PDB file of all heavy atoms in Angstrom:
ATOM      1  N   HIS A 256     -17.735   0.468 -22.130  1.00 53.00           N
ATOM      2  CA  HIS A 256     -18.939   0.839 -22.857  1.00 53.00           C
ATOM      3  C   HIS A 256     -18.793   2.258 -23.389  1.00 53.00           C
ATOM      4  O   HIS A 256     -18.010   3.062 -22.880  1.00 53.00           O
ATOM      5  CB  HIS A 256     -20.169   0.757 -21.940  1.00 53.00           C
ATOM      6  CG  HIS A 256     -20.348  -0.603 -21.309  1.00 53.00           C
ATOM      7  ND1 HIS A 256     -20.600  -1.732 -22.047  1.00 53.00           N
ATOM      8  CD2 HIS A 256     -20.280  -0.996 -20.022  1.00 53.00           C
ATOM      9  CE1 HIS A 256     -20.714  -2.773 -21.236  1.00 53.00           C
ATOM     10  NE2 HIS A 256     -20.511  -2.346 -20.000  1.00 53.00           N
ATOM     11  N   GLY A 257     -19.568   2.573 -24.407  1.00 53.00           N
ATOM     12  CA  GLY A 257     -19.489   3.922 -24.961  1.00 53.00           C
ATOM     13  C   GLY A 257     -19.914   4.968 -23.940  1.00 53.00           C
ATOM     14  O   GLY A 257     -19.289   6.005 -23.787  1.00 53.00           O
ATOM     15  N   ALA A 258     -21.015   4.724 -23.234  1.00 60.00           N
ATOM     16  CA  ALA A 258     -21.494   5.637 -22.193  1.00 60.00           C
ATOM     17  C   ALA A 258     -21.220   5.001 -20.836  1.00 60.00           C
ATOM     18  O   ALA A 258     -21.508   3.821 -20.617  1.00 60.00           O
ATOM     19  CB  ALA A 258     -22.984   5.898 -22.358  1.00 60.00           C
ATOM     20  N   ILE A 259     -20.660   5.766 -19.925  1.00 70.00           N
ATOM     21  CA  ILE A 259     -20.291   5.238 -18.617  1.00 70.00           C
ATOM     22  C   ILE A 259     -21.538   5.071 -17.757  1.00 70.00           C
ATOM     23  O   ILE A 259     -22.332   5.998 -17.620  1.00 70.00           O
ATOM     24  CB  ILE A 259     -19.288   6.173 -17.917  1.00 70.00           C
ATOM     25  CG1 ILE A 259     -18.003   6.288 -18.734  1.00 70.00           C
ATOM     26  CG2 ILE A 259     -18.968   5.679 -16.522  1.00 70.00           C
ATOM     27  CD1 ILE A 259     -16.992   7.245 -18.150  1.00 70.00           C
ATOM     28  N   ASP A 260     -21.700   3.901 -17.193  1.00 74.00           N
ATOM     29  CA  ASP A 260     -22.767   3.658 -16.227  1.00 74.00           C
ATOM     30  C   ASP A 260     -22.194   4.006 -14.849  1.00 74.00           C
ATOM     31  O   ASP A 260     -21.500   3.201 -14.232  1.00 74.00           O
ATOM     32  CB  ASP A 260     -23.221   2.196 -16.277  1.00 74.00           C
ATOM     33  CG  ASP A 260     -24.491   1.966 -15.476  1.00 74.00           C
ATOM     34  OD1 ASP A 260     -24.621   2.584 -14.395  1.00 74.00           O
ATOM     35  OD2 ASP A 260     -25.352   1.185 -15.920  1.00 74.00           O
ATOM     36  N   TYR A 261     -22.493   5.195 -14.369  1.00 78.00           N
ATOM     37  CA  TYR A 261     -21.875   5.680 -13.137  1.00 78.00           C
ATOM     38  C   TYR A 261     -22.299   4.858 -11.926  1.00 78.00           C
ATOM     39  O   TYR A 261     -21.515   4.677 -10.988  1.00 78.00           O
ATOM     40  CB  TYR A 261     -22.228   7.156 -12.923  1.00 78.00           C
ATOM     41  CG  TYR A 261     -21.623   8.061 -13.954  1.00 78.00           C
ATOM     42  CD1 TYR A 261     -22.390   8.558 -15.006  1.00 78.00           C
ATOM     43  CD2 TYR A 261     -20.281   8.415 -13.892  1.00 78.00           C
ATOM     44  CE1 TYR A 261     -21.837   9.388 -15.966  1.00 78.00           C
ATOM     45  CE2 TYR A 261     -19.715   9.249 -14.843  1.00 78.00           C
ATOM     46  CZ  TYR A 261     -20.503   9.732 -15.880  1.00 78.00           C
ATOM     47  OH  TYR A 261     -19.947  10.546 -16.833  1.00 78.00           O
ATOM     48  N   GLY A 262     -23.518   4.375 -11.917  1.00 80.00           N
ATOM     49  CA  GLY A 262     -23.963   3.574 -10.791  1.00 80.00           C
ATOM     50  C   GLY A 262     -23.152   2.295 -10.654  1.00 80.00           C
ATOM     51  O   GLY A 262     -22.683   1.954  -9.567  1.00 80.00           O
ATOM     52  N   LEU A 263     -22.970   1.586 -11.774  1.00 81.00           N
ATOM     53  CA  LEU A 263     -22.184   0.351 -11.738  1.00 81.00           C
ATOM     54  C   LEU A 263     -20.712   0.645 -11.423  1.00 81.00           C
ATOM     55  O   LEU A 263     -20.072  -0.099 -10.680  1.00 81.00           O
ATOM     56  CB  LEU A 263     -22.295  -0.380 -13.080  1.00 81.00           C
ATOM     57  CG  LEU A 263     -23.671  -0.905 -13.485  1.00 81.00           C
ATOM     58  CD1 LEU A 263     -23.564  -1.733 -14.761  1.00 81.00           C
ATOM     59  CD2 LEU A 263     -24.298  -1.719 -12.375  1.00 81.00           C
ATOM     60  N   THR A 264     -20.183   1.726 -12.005  1.00 82.00           N
ATOM     61  CA  THR A 264     -18.786   2.068 -11.771  1.00 82.00           C
ATOM     62  C   THR A 264     -18.533   2.384 -10.300  1.00 82.00           C
ATOM     63  O   THR A 264     -17.543   1.933  -9.710  1.00 82.00           O
ATOM     64  CB  THR A 264     -18.374   3.268 -12.640  1.00 82.00           C
ATOM     65  OG1 THR A 264     -18.583   2.944 -14.018  1.00 82.00           O
ATOM     66  CG2 THR A 264     -16.918   3.620 -12.422  1.00 82.00           C
ATOM     67  N   LEU A 265     -19.427   3.156  -9.679  1.00 85.00           N
ATOM     68  CA  LEU A 265     -19.252   3.497  -8.271  1.00 85.00           C
ATOM     69  C   LEU A 265     -19.490   2.291  -7.375  1.00 85.00           C
ATOM     70  O   LEU A 265     -18.850   2.166  -6.321  1.00 85.00           O
ATOM     71  CB  LEU A 265     -20.203   4.636  -7.888  1.00 85.00           C
ATOM     72  CG  LEU A 265     -19.862   5.999  -8.496  1.00 85.00           C
ATOM     73  CD1 LEU A 265     -20.937   7.023  -8.179  1.00 85.00           C
ATOM     74  CD2 LEU A 265     -18.505   6.484  -7.980  1.00 85.00           C
ATOM     75  N   ALA A 266     -20.369   1.391  -7.768  1.00 86.00           N
ATOM     76  CA  ALA A 266     -20.561   0.158  -6.998  1.00 86.00           C
ATOM     77  C   ALA A 266     -19.294  -0.689  -7.028  1.00 86.00           C
ATOM     78  O   ALA A 266     -18.861  -1.235  -6.001  1.00 86.00           O
ATOM     79  CB  ALA A 266     -21.744  -0.627  -7.544  1.00 86.00           C
ATOM     80  N   ALA A 267     -18.691  -0.801  -8.218  1.00 85.00           N
ATOM     81  CA  ALA A 267     -17.439  -1.545  -8.322  1.00 85.00           C
ATOM     82  C   ALA A 267     -16.333  -0.884  -7.513  1.00 85.00           C
ATOM     83  O   ALA A 267     -15.525  -1.553  -6.862  1.00 85.00           O
ATOM     84  CB  ALA A 267     -17.027  -1.648  -9.797  1.00 85.00           C
ATOM     85  N   ALA A 268     -16.282   0.446  -7.529  1.00 85.00           N
ATOM     86  CA  ALA A 268     -15.269   1.162  -6.749  1.00 85.00           C
ATOM     87  C   ALA A 268     -15.484   0.963  -5.253  1.00 85.00           C
ATOM     88  O   ALA A 268     -14.518   0.826  -4.486  1.00 85.00           O
ATOM     89  CB  ALA A 268     -15.303   2.651  -7.095  1.00 85.00           C
ATOM     90  N   ALA A 269     -16.739   0.940  -4.816  1.00 87.00           N
ATOM     91  CA  ALA A 269     -17.032   0.728  -3.400  1.00 87.00           C
ATOM     92  C   ALA A 269     -16.585  -0.658  -2.952  1.00 87.00           C
ATOM     93  O   ALA A 269     -16.049  -0.830  -1.848  1.00 87.00           O
ATOM     94  CB  ALA A 269     -18.531   0.916  -3.138  1.00 87.00           C
ATOM     95  N   VAL A 270     -16.784  -1.660  -3.801  1.00 85.00           N
ATOM     96  CA  VAL A 270     -16.330  -3.009  -3.468  1.00 85.00           C
ATOM     97  C   VAL A 270     -14.803  -3.064  -3.429  1.00 85.00           C
ATOM     98  O   VAL A 270     -14.199  -3.711  -2.562  1.00 85.00           O
ATOM     99  CB  VAL A 270     -16.875  -4.022  -4.490  1.00 85.00           C
ATOM    100  CG1 VAL A 270     -16.267  -5.399  -4.259  1.00 85.00           C
ATOM    101  CG2 VAL A 270     -18.389  -4.096  -4.397  1.00 85.00           C
ATOM    102  N   ALA A 271     -14.162  -2.344  -4.337  1.00 85.00           N
ATOM    103  CA  ALA A 271     -12.706  -2.383  -4.425  1.00 85.00           C
ATOM    104  C   ALA A 271     -12.034  -1.736  -3.228  1.00 85.00           C
ATOM    105  O   ALA A 271     -10.909  -2.084  -2.865  1.00 85.00           O
ATOM    106  CB  ALA A 271     -12.252  -1.689  -5.709  1.00 85.00           C
ATOM    107  N   VAL A 272     -12.700  -0.778  -2.590  1.00 86.00           N
ATOM    108  CA  VAL A 272     -12.073  -0.023  -1.510  1.00 86.00           C
ATOM    109  C   VAL A 272     -12.195  -0.729  -0.168  1.00 86.00           C
ATOM    110  O   VAL A 272     -11.540  -0.322   0.803  1.00 86.00           O
ATOM    111  CB  VAL A 272     -12.687   1.386  -1.423  1.00 86.00           C
ATOM    112  CG1 VAL A 272     -13.995   1.378  -0.643  1.00 86.00           C
ATOM    113  CG2 VAL A 272     -11.718   2.379  -0.802  1.00 86.00           C
ATOM    114  N   VAL A 273     -12.975  -1.799  -0.080  1.00 84.00           N
ATOM    115  CA  VAL A 273     -13.206  -2.478   1.200  1.00 84.00           C
ATOM    116  C   VAL A 273     -11.902  -2.977   1.843  1.00 84.00           C
ATOM    117  O   VAL A 273     -11.664  -2.724   3.034  1.00 84.00           O
ATOM    118  CB  VAL A 273     -14.214  -3.628   1.027  1.00 84.00           C
ATOM    119  CG1 VAL A 273     -14.266  -4.509   2.275  1.00 84.00           C
ATOM    120  CG2 VAL A 273     -15.590  -3.069   0.725  1.00 84.00           C
ATOM    121  N   PRO A 274     -11.013  -3.700   1.120  1.00 83.00           N
ATOM    122  CA  PRO A 274      -9.782  -4.168   1.770  1.00 83.00           C
ATOM    123  C   PRO A 274      -8.898  -3.034   2.291  1.00 83.00           C
ATOM    124  O   PRO A 274      -8.300  -3.150   3.369  1.00 83.00           O
ATOM    125  CB  PRO A 274      -9.068  -4.955   0.649  1.00 83.00           C
ATOM    126  CG  PRO A 274     -10.157  -5.355  -0.273  1.00 83.00           C
ATOM    127  CD  PRO A 274     -11.116  -4.215  -0.259  1.00 83.00           C
ATOM    128  N   THR A 275      -8.809  -1.939   1.550  1.00 82.00           N
ATOM    129  CA  THR A 275      -7.983  -0.827   2.018  1.00 82.00           C
ATOM    130  C   THR A 275      -8.600  -0.184   3.251  1.00 82.00           C
ATOM    131  O   THR A 275      -7.872   0.245   4.159  1.00 82.00           O
ATOM    132  CB  THR A 275      -7.819   0.225   0.913  1.00 82.00           C
ATOM    133  OG1 THR A 275      -9.110   0.734   0.535  1.00 82.00           O
ATOM    134  CG2 THR A 275      -7.162  -0.370  -0.313  1.00 82.00           C
ATOM    135  N   LEU A 276      -9.914  -0.125   3.295  1.00 81.00           N
ATOM    136  CA  LEU A 276     -10.585   0.445   4.464  1.00 81.00           C
ATOM    137  C   LEU A 276     -10.342  -0.425   5.690  1.00 81.00           C
ATOM    138  O   LEU A 276     -10.051   0.082   6.780  1.00 81.00           O
ATOM    139  CB  LEU A 276     -12.084   0.579   4.188  1.00 81.00           C
ATOM    140  CG  LEU A 276     -12.931   1.204   5.297  1.00 81.00           C
ATOM    141  CD1 LEU A 276     -12.489   2.640   5.549  1.00 81.00           C
ATOM    142  CD2 LEU A 276     -14.404   1.161   4.933  1.00 81.00           C
ATOM    143  N   ILE A 277     -10.442  -1.737   5.519  1.00 82.00           N
ATOM    144  CA  ILE A 277     -10.193  -2.650   6.641  1.00 82.00           C
ATOM    145  C   ILE A 277      -8.747  -2.529   7.124  1.00 82.00           C
ATOM    146  O   ILE A 277      -8.475  -2.458   8.332  1.00 82.00           O
ATOM    147  CB  ILE A 277     -10.511  -4.100   6.228  1.00 82.00           C
ATOM    148  CG1 ILE A 277     -12.013  -4.259   5.962  1.00 82.00           C
ATOM    149  CG2 ILE A 277     -10.059  -5.085   7.300  1.00 82.00           C
ATOM    150  CD1 ILE A 277     -12.397  -5.608   5.409  1.00 82.00           C
ATOM    151  N   ALA A 278      -7.800  -2.511   6.178  1.00 77.00           N
ATOM    152  CA  ALA A 278      -6.388  -2.395   6.551  1.00 77.00           C
ATOM    153  C   ALA A 278      -6.114  -1.086   7.280  1.00 77.00           C
ATOM    154  O   ALA A 278      -5.348  -1.036   8.247  1.00 77.00           O
ATOM    155  CB  ALA A 278      -5.516  -2.501   5.302  1.00 77.00           C
ATOM    156  N   PHE A 279      -6.764  -0.017   6.831  1.00 76.00           N
ATOM    157  CA  PHE A 279      -6.556   1.279   7.486  1.00 76.00           C
ATOM    158  C   PHE A 279      -7.124   1.280   8.895  1.00 76.00           C
ATOM    159  O   PHE A 279      -6.479   1.752   9.842  1.00 76.00           O
ATOM    160  CB  PHE A 279      -7.203   2.390   6.668  1.00 76.00           C
ATOM    161  CG  PHE A 279      -7.154   3.740   7.340  1.00 76.00           C
ATOM    162  CD1 PHE A 279      -5.985   4.474   7.353  1.00 76.00           C
ATOM    163  CD2 PHE A 279      -8.275   4.256   7.959  1.00 76.00           C
ATOM    164  CE1 PHE A 279      -5.934   5.704   7.985  1.00 76.00           C
ATOM    165  CE2 PHE A 279      -8.240   5.480   8.586  1.00 76.00           C
ATOM    166  CZ  PHE A 279      -7.063   6.208   8.596  1.00 76.00           C
TER     167      PHE A 279
END
Side-chain angles (χ1 to χ4, degrees):
H256 304 296
I259 299 177
D260 190 322
Y261 293 102
L263 295 186
T264 302
L265 290 174
V270 173
V272 82
V273 169
T275 60
L276 182 63
I277 294 174
F279 174 77

